[in-house]
Every structure is written in C-alpha cells, then in structure tokens.
mmCIF file of all heavy atoms in Angstrom:
data_model
loop_
_atom_site.group_PDB
_atom_site.id
_atom_site.type_symbol
_atom_site.label_atom_id
_atom_site.label_comp_id
_atom_site.label_asym_id
_atom_site.label_seq_id
_atom_site.Cartn_x
_atom_site.Cartn_y
_atom_site.Cartn_z
ATOM 1 N N VAL A 1 -8.928 -6.719 -7.780
ATOM 2 C CA VAL A 1 -7.954 -5.695 -7.359
ATOM 3 C C VAL A 1 -7.320 -5.061 -8.592
ATOM 4 O O VAL A 1 -7.032 -3.861 -8.549
ATOM 5 C CB VAL A 1 -6.907 -6.302 -6.463
ATOM 6 C CG1 VAL A 1 -5.609 -5.502 -6.411
ATOM 7 C CG2 VAL A 1 -7.416 -6.508 -5.058
ATOM 8 N N ARG A 2 -7.122 -5.799 -9.639
ATOM 9 C CA ARG A 2 -6.498 -5.261 -10.863
ATOM 10 C C ARG A 2 -7.322 -4.108 -11.399
ATOM 11 O O ARG A 2 -8.458 -4.290 -11.799
ATOM 12 C CB ARG A 2 -6.318 -6.327 -11.895
ATOM 13 C CG ARG A 2 -5.290 -7.390 -11.522
ATOM 14 C CD ARG A 2 -4.974 -8.351 -12.652
ATOM 15 N NE ARG A 2 -3.919 -9.229 -12.285
ATOM 16 C CZ ARG A 2 -4.064 -10.510 -11.992
ATOM 17 N NH1 ARG A 2 -5.209 -11.094 -12.100
ATOM 18 N NH2 ARG A 2 -3.019 -11.218 -11.656
ATOM 19 N N GLY A 3 -6.742 -2.933 -11.390
ATOM 20 C CA GLY A 3 -7.418 -1.762 -11.890
ATOM 21 C C GLY A 3 -8.368 -1.097 -10.927
ATOM 22 O O GLY A 3 -9.003 -0.105 -11.280
ATOM 23 N N ASP A 4 -8.474 -1.604 -9.731
ATOM 24 C CA ASP A 4 -9.388 -0.949 -8.725
ATOM 25 C C ASP A 4 -8.520 -0.440 -7.589
ATOM 26 O O ASP A 4 -8.299 -1.103 -6.604
ATOM 27 C CB ASP A 4 -10.389 -1.961 -8.208
ATOM 28 C CG ASP A 4 -11.467 -1.310 -7.335
ATOM 29 O OD1 ASP A 4 -11.233 -0.230 -6.810
ATOM 30 O OD2 ASP A 4 -12.520 -1.967 -7.097
ATOM 31 N N GLY A 5 -8.028 0.781 -7.782
ATOM 32 C CA GLY A 5 -7.118 1.392 -6.812
ATOM 33 C C GLY A 5 -7.764 1.523 -5.432
ATOM 34 O O GLY A 5 -7.085 1.397 -4.417
ATOM 35 N N GLU A 6 -9.063 1.806 -5.385
ATOM 36 C CA GLU A 6 -9.764 1.967 -4.102
ATOM 37 C C GLU A 6 -9.721 0.650 -3.321
ATOM 38 O O GLU A 6 -9.419 0.614 -2.136
ATOM 39 C CB GLU A 6 -11.168 2.409 -4.324
ATOM 40 C CG GLU A 6 -11.921 2.613 -3.036
ATOM 41 C CD GLU A 6 -13.379 2.969 -3.245
ATOM 42 O OE1 GLU A 6 -13.768 3.377 -4.340
ATOM 43 O OE2 GLU A 6 -14.159 2.789 -2.275
ATOM 44 N N LEU A 7 -10.070 -0.446 -3.980
ATOM 45 C CA LEU A 7 -10.096 -1.771 -3.331
ATOM 46 C C LEU A 7 -8.662 -2.139 -2.915
ATOM 47 O O LEU A 7 -8.439 -2.599 -1.790
ATOM 48 C CB LEU A 7 -10.650 -2.831 -4.234
ATOM 49 C CG LEU A 7 -10.618 -4.277 -3.726
ATOM 50 C CD1 LEU A 7 -11.387 -4.371 -2.399
ATOM 51 C CD2 LEU A 7 -11.208 -5.231 -4.772
ATOM 52 N N ALA A 8 -7.671 -1.908 -3.792
ATOM 53 C CA ALA A 8 -6.266 -2.242 -3.436
ATOM 54 C C ALA A 8 -5.822 -1.418 -2.208
ATOM 55 O O ALA A 8 -5.176 -1.960 -1.300
ATOM 56 C CB ALA A 8 -5.380 -1.957 -4.634
ATOM 57 N N GLY A 9 -6.187 -0.158 -2.196
ATOM 58 C CA GLY A 9 -5.845 0.709 -1.038
ATOM 59 C C GLY A 9 -6.497 0.247 0.235
ATOM 60 O O GLY A 9 -5.852 0.230 1.313
ATOM 61 N N ARG A 10 -7.785 -0.157 0.160
ATOM 62 C CA ARG A 10 -8.447 -0.642 1.353
ATOM 63 C C ARG A 10 -7.823 -1.902 1.869
ATOM 64 O O ARG A 10 -7.709 -2.137 3.088
ATOM 65 C CB ARG A 10 -9.942 -0.896 1.028
ATOM 66 C CG ARG A 10 -10.741 0.357 0.959
ATOM 67 C CD ARG A 10 -12.252 0.090 1.036
ATOM 68 N NE ARG A 10 -12.688 -1.217 0.620
ATOM 69 C CZ ARG A 10 -13.523 -1.447 -0.407
ATOM 70 N NH1 ARG A 10 -13.994 -0.470 -1.134
ATOM 71 N NH2 ARG A 10 -13.879 -2.673 -0.693
ATOM 72 N N LEU A 11 -7.406 -2.765 0.984
ATOM 73 C CA LEU A 11 -6.688 -4.003 1.388
ATOM 74 C C LEU A 11 -5.433 -3.673 2.176
ATOM 75 O O LEU A 11 -5.226 -4.213 3.259
ATOM 76 C CB LEU A 11 -6.340 -4.880 0.208
ATOM 77 C CG LEU A 11 -7.398 -5.872 -0.248
ATOM 78 C CD1 LEU A 11 -6.899 -6.548 -1.569
ATOM 79 C CD2 LEU A 11 -7.731 -6.864 0.785
ATOM 80 N N THR A 12 -4.618 -2.769 1.626
ATOM 81 C CA THR A 12 -3.365 -2.478 2.311
ATOM 82 C C THR A 12 -3.553 -1.773 3.642
ATOM 83 O O THR A 12 -2.751 -1.902 4.530
ATOM 84 C CB THR A 12 -2.422 -1.616 1.435
ATOM 85 O OG1 THR A 12 -3.024 -0.383 1.175
ATOM 86 C CG2 THR A 12 -2.093 -2.323 0.135
ATOM 87 N N LYS A 13 -4.665 -1.030 3.772
ATOM 88 C CA LYS A 13 -4.924 -0.294 5.018
ATOM 89 C C LYS A 13 -5.641 -1.103 6.041
ATOM 90 O O LYS A 13 -5.405 -0.972 7.236
ATOM 91 C CB LYS A 13 -5.702 1.011 4.738
ATOM 92 C CG LYS A 13 -4.927 2.060 4.003
ATOM 93 C CD LYS A 13 -5.766 3.275 3.759
ATOM 94 C CE LYS A 13 -4.929 4.301 3.012
ATOM 95 N NZ LYS A 13 -5.711 5.388 2.470
ATOM 96 N N ASN A 14 -6.608 -1.930 5.610
ATOM 97 C CA ASN A 14 -7.511 -2.567 6.543
ATOM 98 C C ASN A 14 -7.365 -4.079 6.724
ATOM 99 O O ASN A 14 -7.921 -4.670 7.610
ATOM 100 C CB ASN A 14 -8.962 -2.310 6.157
ATOM 101 C CG ASN A 14 -9.254 -0.809 6.106
ATOM 102 O OD1 ASN A 14 -8.762 -0.041 6.921
ATOM 103 N ND2 ASN A 14 -10.039 -0.385 5.094
ATOM 104 N N ALA A 15 -6.591 -4.703 5.832
ATOM 105 C CA ALA A 15 -6.498 -6.155 5.878
ATOM 106 C C ALA A 15 -5.108 -6.563 6.380
ATOM 107 O O ALA A 15 -4.132 -5.865 6.194
ATOM 108 C CB ALA A 15 -6.746 -6.746 4.506
ATOM 109 N N ARG A 16 -5.083 -7.743 6.977
ATOM 110 C CA ARG A 16 -3.826 -8.417 7.319
ATOM 111 C C ARG A 16 -3.998 -9.835 6.880
ATOM 112 O O ARG A 16 -4.895 -10.531 7.295
ATOM 113 C CB ARG A 16 -3.499 -8.327 8.806
ATOM 114 C CG ARG A 16 -3.149 -6.971 9.339
ATOM 115 C CD ARG A 16 -1.907 -6.356 8.676
ATOM 116 N NE ARG A 16 -1.770 -4.951 8.938
ATOM 117 C CZ ARG A 16 -2.200 -3.987 8.182
ATOM 118 N NH1 ARG A 16 -2.852 -4.225 7.079
ATOM 119 N NH2 ARG A 16 -2.037 -2.723 8.493
ATOM 120 N N VAL A 17 -3.123 -10.240 5.974
ATOM 121 C CA VAL A 17 -3.121 -11.626 5.488
ATOM 122 C C VAL A 17 -1.914 -12.348 6.078
ATOM 123 O O VAL A 17 -0.794 -11.949 5.846
ATOM 124 C CB VAL A 17 -3.070 -11.648 3.959
ATOM 125 C CG1 VAL A 17 -3.010 -13.087 3.455
ATOM 126 C CG2 VAL A 17 -4.271 -10.926 3.354
ATOM 127 N N PHE A 18 -2.185 -13.373 6.829
ATOM 128 C CA PHE A 18 -1.135 -14.188 7.434
ATOM 129 C C PHE A 18 -1.039 -15.452 6.578
ATOM 130 O O PHE A 18 -2.059 -16.119 6.278
ATOM 131 C CB PHE A 18 -1.463 -14.616 8.846
ATOM 132 C CG PHE A 18 -1.427 -13.439 9.812
ATOM 133 C CD1 PHE A 18 -2.457 -12.526 9.890
ATOM 134 C CD2 PHE A 18 -0.347 -13.282 10.677
ATOM 135 C CE1 PHE A 18 -2.416 -11.476 10.783
ATOM 136 C CE2 PHE A 18 -0.268 -12.225 11.554
ATOM 137 C CZ PHE A 18 -1.315 -11.328 11.642
ATOM 138 N N VAL A 19 0.151 -15.800 6.137
ATOM 139 C CA VAL A 19 0.342 -16.987 5.333
ATOM 140 C C VAL A 19 1.638 -17.652 5.710
ATOM 141 O O VAL A 19 2.656 -17.021 5.916
ATOM 142 C CB VAL A 19 0.303 -16.613 3.794
ATOM 143 C CG1 VAL A 19 1.450 -15.749 3.448
ATOM 144 C CG2 VAL A 19 0.210 -17.916 2.993
ATOM 145 N N GLY A 20 1.545 -18.992 5.838
ATOM 146 C CA GLY A 20 2.775 -19.725 6.095
ATOM 147 C C GLY A 20 3.515 -20.066 4.797
ATOM 148 O O GLY A 20 2.859 -20.424 3.822
ATOM 149 N N GLU A 21 4.787 -19.857 4.787
ATOM 150 C CA GLU A 21 5.554 -20.139 3.576
ATOM 151 C C GLU A 21 5.510 -21.648 3.209
ATOM 152 O O GLU A 21 5.808 -22.001 2.062
ATOM 153 C CB GLU A 21 6.974 -19.669 3.733
ATOM 154 C CG GLU A 21 7.132 -18.161 3.661
ATOM 155 C CD GLU A 21 6.703 -17.606 2.339
ATOM 156 O OE1 GLU A 21 7.074 -18.130 1.265
ATOM 157 O OE2 GLU A 21 5.984 -16.604 2.327
ATOM 158 N N ASN A 22 5.183 -22.522 4.172
ATOM 159 C CA ASN A 22 5.090 -23.926 3.876
ATOM 160 C C ASN A 22 3.662 -24.421 3.808
ATOM 161 O O ASN A 22 3.394 -25.551 4.175
ATOM 162 C CB ASN A 22 5.884 -24.730 4.949
ATOM 163 C CG ASN A 22 7.354 -24.382 4.933
ATOM 164 O OD1 ASN A 22 7.871 -23.934 3.976
ATOM 165 N ND2 ASN A 22 8.009 -24.695 6.031
ATOM 166 N N ASP A 23 2.762 -23.579 3.438
ATOM 167 C CA ASP A 23 1.344 -23.940 3.350
ATOM 168 C C ASP A 23 1.147 -25.182 2.479
ATOM 169 O O ASP A 23 1.648 -25.223 1.386
ATOM 170 C CB ASP A 23 0.510 -22.791 2.796
ATOM 171 C CG ASP A 23 -0.978 -23.036 2.907
ATOM 172 O OD1 ASP A 23 -1.503 -23.819 2.104
ATOM 173 O OD2 ASP A 23 -1.571 -22.491 3.811
ATOM 174 N N GLU A 24 0.502 -26.143 3.042
ATOM 175 C CA GLU A 24 0.386 -27.473 2.363
ATOM 176 C C GLU A 24 -0.462 -27.364 1.088
ATOM 177 O O GLU A 24 -0.380 -28.241 0.222
ATOM 178 C CB GLU A 24 -0.152 -28.527 3.302
ATOM 179 C CG GLU A 24 -1.584 -28.299 3.767
ATOM 180 C CD GLU A 24 -1.665 -27.392 4.995
ATOM 181 O OE1 GLU A 24 -0.665 -26.810 5.411
ATOM 182 O OE2 GLU A 24 -2.777 -27.288 5.555
ATOM 183 N N ARG A 25 -1.243 -26.341 0.936
ATOM 184 C CA ARG A 25 -2.102 -26.153 -0.266
ATOM 185 C C ARG A 25 -1.558 -25.106 -1.186
ATOM 186 O O ARG A 25 -2.289 -24.654 -2.103
ATOM 187 C CB ARG A 25 -3.528 -25.811 0.136
ATOM 188 C CG ARG A 25 -4.249 -26.890 0.872
ATOM 189 C CD ARG A 25 -4.834 -27.836 -0.085
ATOM 190 N NE ARG A 25 -5.599 -28.838 0.627
ATOM 191 C CZ ARG A 25 -6.019 -29.937 0.055
ATOM 192 N NH1 ARG A 25 -5.731 -30.176 -1.179
ATOM 193 N NH2 ARG A 25 -6.703 -30.815 0.752
ATOM 194 N N TYR A 26 -0.334 -24.631 -0.996
ATOM 195 C CA TYR A 26 0.319 -23.643 -1.849
ATOM 196 C C TYR A 26 -0.404 -22.314 -1.839
ATOM 197 O O TYR A 26 -0.335 -21.559 -2.777
ATOM 198 C CB TYR A 26 0.466 -24.161 -3.284
ATOM 199 C CG TYR A 26 1.278 -25.409 -3.420
ATOM 200 C CD1 TYR A 26 0.684 -26.645 -3.392
ATOM 201 C CD2 TYR A 26 2.650 -25.346 -3.614
ATOM 202 C CE1 TYR A 26 1.463 -27.821 -3.534
ATOM 203 C CE2 TYR A 26 3.412 -26.463 -3.732
ATOM 204 C CZ TYR A 26 2.819 -27.710 -3.716
ATOM 205 O OH TYR A 26 3.583 -28.841 -3.816
ATOM 206 N N ARG A 27 -1.144 -22.019 -0.750
ATOM 207 C CA ARG A 27 -1.861 -20.759 -0.684
ATOM 208 C C ARG A 27 -0.844 -19.582 -0.672
ATOM 209 O O ARG A 27 -1.231 -18.467 -1.041
ATOM 210 C CB ARG A 27 -2.741 -20.703 0.566
ATOM 211 C CG ARG A 27 -4.044 -21.501 0.376
ATOM 212 C CD ARG A 27 -4.838 -21.497 1.627
ATOM 213 N NE ARG A 27 -4.358 -22.483 2.563
ATOM 214 C CZ ARG A 27 -4.986 -23.619 2.878
ATOM 215 N NH1 ARG A 27 -6.155 -23.882 2.338
ATOM 216 N NH2 ARG A 27 -4.510 -24.475 3.705
ATOM 217 N N ASN A 28 0.374 -19.829 -0.221
ATOM 218 C CA ASN A 28 1.354 -18.783 -0.250
ATOM 219 C C ASN A 28 1.592 -18.253 -1.663
ATOM 220 O O ASN A 28 1.875 -17.069 -1.858
ATOM 221 C CB ASN A 28 2.660 -19.243 0.372
ATOM 222 C CG ASN A 28 3.204 -20.524 -0.248
ATOM 223 O OD1 ASN A 28 2.471 -21.511 -0.402
ATOM 224 N ND2 ASN A 28 4.479 -20.552 -0.562
ATOM 225 N N LEU A 29 1.409 -19.108 -2.674
ATOM 226 C CA LEU A 29 1.548 -18.639 -4.047
ATOM 227 C C LEU A 29 0.414 -17.743 -4.450
ATOM 228 O O LEU A 29 0.583 -16.763 -5.136
ATOM 229 C CB LEU A 29 1.651 -19.858 -4.996
ATOM 230 C CG LEU A 29 2.797 -20.836 -4.700
ATOM 231 C CD1 LEU A 29 2.780 -21.962 -5.709
ATOM 232 C CD2 LEU A 29 4.132 -20.142 -4.710
#
C-alpha cells in the first residue's frame, strides 16, 4: 500500500476489515 495510491484507494472503497480490539494475536496492531 505504501506509495500505491490506487491500491490504497481500492482498499478504502471495496474492503471492510473487522477487527476486535482484544484480538488474542494482536492483529488489531
């Protein structure tokens, strides 16, 4: 994503990332 505005834009438009703040594997970080 760093430096790829097209990919970053597609993520914000087409993706939804659900994450628990208490994720046991620290995926929230």
Side-chain angles (χ1 to χ4, degrees):
V1 160
R2 290 188 174 110
D4 187 341
E6 181 184 342
L7 177 58
R10 283 196 336 240
L11 273 175
T12 63
K13 288 179 182 169
N14 302 324
R16 292 298 167 266
V17 176
F18 290 78
V19 64
E21 286 298 315
N22 295 340
D23 189 282
E24 65 275 9
R25 294 276 184 194
Y26 299 92
R27 284 177 279 250
N28 54 311
L29 302 180

